[in-house]
Amino acid sequence: MTAAPALRRSPARRRILDTATALFYGEGIRAVGVDRIIAEAGVAKATFYHHFPAKDDLVVAYVQEQSRLQREAVERLPRAEPVETILAVFDAIGEIACGPGFRGCVFLNAAAEYPDPDHPVRRAVEDYRRWFRTLLTRLLEAAGHPDPARTAAILLALRDGLVVGGHLDDPHHIRTLTRDSVTRVLQSA
């Protein structure tokens, strides 16, 4: 399900992925058909299937790209002490989850639409979650935290709750809870 490097740079592939990203996030993955993506991306059906043999291939590419974008965002954070980096990551999550147009977490939304844990989309979601959990574990280890793996798992669960709350609850309230919640988890050890 991974496209060759030359296909990744194709303008048509980029249009398809950009169109799918907007539609999947705005309306849901299963709610958007291939024909609509083809029409809105302005590509021929053959071009779509050249880049994505099936819709699920496109969905995997969408999830993987969102994961890559989040990894790059973390890499762009200013270098700081490990705990400050964790707080900065969660501050960014709080800002995004409480921002205009937020419709829930890309990864949780995709997982909800693909319940089979062995499906390639769910594996792409799990790849993201593994990366995030590992990032937190390494930062906690660097900070000398006494139980980094368990605390990273708790922080991942907190992240999930914050992004759901950012979509369902009062965004201002969630924004104020974010740093307080993370700080409490970190201090509880």
Side-chain angles (χ1 to χ4, degrees), residues 75-134:
E75 290 172 12
R76 286 192 305 271
L77 289 173
R79 297 291 168 218
E81 295 298 318
V83 170
E84 285 303 315
T85 300
I86 293 170
L87 291 170
V89 166
F90 275 87
D91 286 346
I93 290 168
E95 287 302 312
I96 292 166
C98 297
F102 184 73
R103 291 188 34 82
C105 170
V106 166
F107 308 103
L108 297 178
N109 291 350
E113 293 199 49
Y114 288 86
D116 177 2
D118 294 325
H119 192 281
V121 172
R122 282 293 293 273
R123 288 196 309 263
V125 169
E126 182 51 38
D127 287 345
Y128 164 78
R129 294 177 66 76
R130 186 178 313 105
W131 164 78
F132 192 74
R133 199 172 23 253
T134 300

Side-chain angles (χ1 to χ4, degrees), residues 87 158 177-189:
L87 291 170
L158 176 61
L177 285 177
T178 302
R179 186 168 274 249
D180 182 48
S181 301
V182 174
T183 302
R184 287 178 188 219
V185 168
L186 294 173
Q187 291 174 346
S188 69

